[in-house]
Amino acid sequence: TVTFREQGWWDKLLASKPDYVIMALGANDANKEPQTADSILQFKENLRRFYREAEAINAKTIFVTLNQSMYRGDDDTPVFRDGKAIRADRIPYSQAIREIAAEFKVPCLDLFTEQAKAMEQIGEKECATYYCIQRLSDRHDPSHTNIMGAHFLANIIATELSKADTPLAKGINKKRLWQYK
């Protein structure tokens, strides 16, 4: 939430006068150490500010919880443990997003939970193919997907959007979505 504003991306987005803002922010906030009650409070206040600024230009907001990502840090440590995929460091931030969405009574797409379910279904080996390889080190990029991973995440978001209470849900062709459940 900090970087997006500091680097001017939020101002550019607002200047484009969108009808909707699908807000999937917080990965960098969650990656900062240490995570404290104050850092969560600041994150929530940043989300409130984004929401209010979007509302001021008549844009409707849809929140999205954080993605799981396949790896922790730069050491290729996978998130899988005993067949379960979880990024525990992102739980408080995803919960904060849910709370802010509820506070403003707007949709919240639960990418965090649904991505974990999908990852567990397809397995660690397949999931690993969805992430970029860093050219210089031959290690996985812990945050950024390749095109297959982008399609994987987009499908989950579209599936969640199709269930949300928003006019955008009508535009989702559910027959074309990959069902992982």
Side-chain angles (χ1 to χ4, degrees):
T1 57
V2 175
T3 304
F4 199 68
R5 188 178 295 280
E6 284 178 350
Q7 295 188 356
W9 299 331
W10 180 245
D11 290 336
K12 288 179 185 176
L13 184 140
L14 291 178
S16 72
K17 302 284 188 206
D19 293 326
Y20 286 88
V21 174
I22 299 178
M23 200 170 303
L25 297 170
N28 290 338
D29 299 81
N31 289 340
K32 291 184 180 173
E33 294 292 334
Q35 293 182 7
T36 65
D38 285 343
S39 63
I40 299 294
L41 288 173
Q42 183 61 51
F43 177 68
K44 289 169 94 171
E45 193 50 45
N46 289 344
L47 293 175
R48 286 183 186 101
R49 184 174 169 199
F50 281 123
Y51 173 82
R52 289 182 184 114
E53 290 172 359
E55 187 178 53
I57 63 161
N58 296 315
K60 293 174 180 51
T61 300
I62 298 172
F63 287 98
V64 180
T65 59
L66 274 67
N67 71 48
Q68 290 280 348
S69 79
M70 177 67 190
Y71 301 95
R72 289 184 184 90
D74 293 326
D75 62 357
D76 268 0
T77 304
V79 299
F80 276 85
R81 292 286 182 261
D82 300 321
K84 297 290 184 191
I86 191 71
R87 282 288 304 262
D89 58 323
R90 295 187 173 187
I91 291 171
Y93 288 86
S94 289
Q95 183 57 35
I97 293 166
R98 290 182 197 98
E99 290 170 11
I100 297 303
E103 180 181 316
F104 290 114
K105 297 177 178 60
V106 297
C108 182
L109 312 182
D110 196 356
L111 176 61
F112 184 81
T113 302
E114 296 305 314
Q115 182 185 1
K117 289 178 189 176
M119 289 171 72
E120 290 163 7
Q121 182 186 17
I122 64 176
E124 182 176 352
K125 187 175 180 180
E126 178 70 16
C127 286
T129 67
Y130 291 178
Y131 285 81
C132 296
I133 301 294
Q134 296 171 351
R135 289 185 194 151
L136 298 178
S137 67
D138 270 349
R139 291 182 14 208
H140 289 96
D141 178 331
S143 300
H144 302 100
T145 63
N146 56 30
I147 193 70
M148 290 180 355
H151 284 282
F152 174 69
L153 291 176
N155 185 82
I156 295 167
I157 291 170
T159 299
E160 286 297 288
L161 185 59
S162 75
K163 299 183 280 185
D165 184 18
T166 173
L168 292 179
K170 295 174 192 169
I172 305 291
N173 182 344
K174 293 179 186 180
K175 293 178 184 176
R176 298 194 67 200
L177 295 173
W178 171 64
Q179 298 302 311
Y180 54 87
K181 295 180 182 179

